[in-house]
Amino acid sequence: MGDGGQEAAPERATGGLVEGQTAAGVFDSVDQAGSDLLVVATRELRTIARTPALLALSAAFVVSVFGVARAGTGGGGGFVPLTLDLLTFVEVLIPLLAVAFGYRSILGDRETGELDVLRTFDVSRTAYVGGVYLGRALALVSLVVGTLLAVGLLVPFLTADIPTFLAINAAADSGVRYVRFVALAAGFTLTVLGATVAISAAARTVRTAFALAAALAAALVLGIDTALVTGLAAGVIPERGLSALLALSPNSAFRGLVLSTVVGVLGGTTVTAGNPLANAGGLGLWWLSSLVIAIWRVWPVVDNRRGE
């Protein structure tokens, strides 16, 4: 009891802040979290630059993209044909790259004990996971976007004077459409990498992380689409609800967005590829839920002194 006969409350909310906590303290906390995030992200970039296996995979991706563009009709046919040549290839390669870049991102720190060291410095879960994701995303998205843009720069030099049957007119095959494809590929990359980082945060052994990451890649590349096609053929999935279900698959959502916003018209026929808003929402849901799971599972909330 206090001197006046009233019990003193240790904390009382005032104006959105806990009594004794100033606005400057809140800003200092935010600044510290941002600083921690950038430090972790920088470390991740250095780790990737020093990992020969990831560098070799990156080089293989660059060579493969140029090879596909060279072997197909895209380079000499225009931006839309190039997009169609690369679409399936990108759908398959990006999940595999994301698994390679992310499946040990957090698990590696847990195995070496570095994760415990970081926790003693009162690094928040959000700052740590955000830093890991940001560093890996910068490296992977730069690889994907840089390679696709480099291939696209060759189109004006290789395109024949007479456009192919896919290029209806100059507007239908403009470079803007290809830039859309590159931007969508970047979004797809961020989504799949987020799911892989979530697996790395949840797994406790390398075997578990690899098995879950491999299952994720298989489901994205083949499993989900195959299940939808099988369900549609068996009559289990009605055609009316197919668009919504396709939006729940990152690969299908990405493919639908590319076909609807980049290709648009193919051979004089408008391409129908689901609902663009639903597809974009599906990718966003995967991305957000993956990061939430990663932050939740990286370590127990009770051990986070700063709290999130």
Side-chain angles (χ1 to χ4, degrees), residues 21 23-36 124 306-308:
Q21 181 182 19
V26 173
F27 286 124
D28 288 342
S29 178
V30 173
D31 289 342
Q32 183 61 44
S35 177
D36 293 340
S124 68
R306 188 176 298 164
E308 295 300 326

Side-chain angles (χ1 to χ4, degrees), residues 30-167:
V30 173
D31 289 342
Q32 183 61 44
S35 177
D36 293 340
L37 185 148
L38 292 178
V39 169
V40 175
T42 301
R43 186 204 63 168
E44 293 300 312
L45 288 172
R46 291 174 179 170
T47 300
I48 292 172
R50 295 171 182 172
T51 306
L54 294 180
L55 297 179
L57 285 174
S58 300
F61 175 77
V62 173
V63 173
S64 299
V65 169
F66 275 89
V68 170
R70 179 62 179 169
T73 61
F79 291 107
V80 172
L82 177 60
T83 299
L84 293 173
D85 285 343
L86 293 176
L87 178 56
T88 301
F89 182 78
V90 167
E91 277 189 62
V92 174
L93 261 291
I94 284 181
L96 298 180
L97 278 175
V99 167
F101 272 72
Y103 90 98
R104 293 195 64 173
S105 55
I106 294 176
L107 180 62
D109 287 344
R110 180 176 288 114
E111 288 185 316
T112 61
E114 192 167 352
L115 191 60
D116 293 329
V117 174
L118 289 173
R119 291 167 63 185
T120 63
F121 287 96
D122 201 23
V123 177
S124 68
R125 294 181 303 155
T126 301
Y128 171 71
V129 173
V132 170
Y133 178 76
L134 177 61
R136 302 271 168 166
L138 284 174
L140 187 54
V141 171
S142 297
L143 170 65
V144 172
V145 170
T147 303
L148 294 178
L149 287 179
V151 172
L153 291 176
L154 299 178
V155 172
F157 302 99
L158 299 177
T159 303
D161 294 333
I162 302 175
T164 65
F165 72 96
L166 291 176

Side-chain angles (χ1 to χ4, degrees), residues 184 187 191 243-250 252-254 256-257 274-290:
L184 290 172
T191 300
S243 296
L245 291 175
L246 287 174
L248 297 179
S249 167
S252 297
F254 167 65
L257 286 171
N275 189 316
L277 291 179
N279 290 334
L283 286 178
L285 180 62
W286 268 84
W287 176 78
L288 181 60
S289 60
S290 296

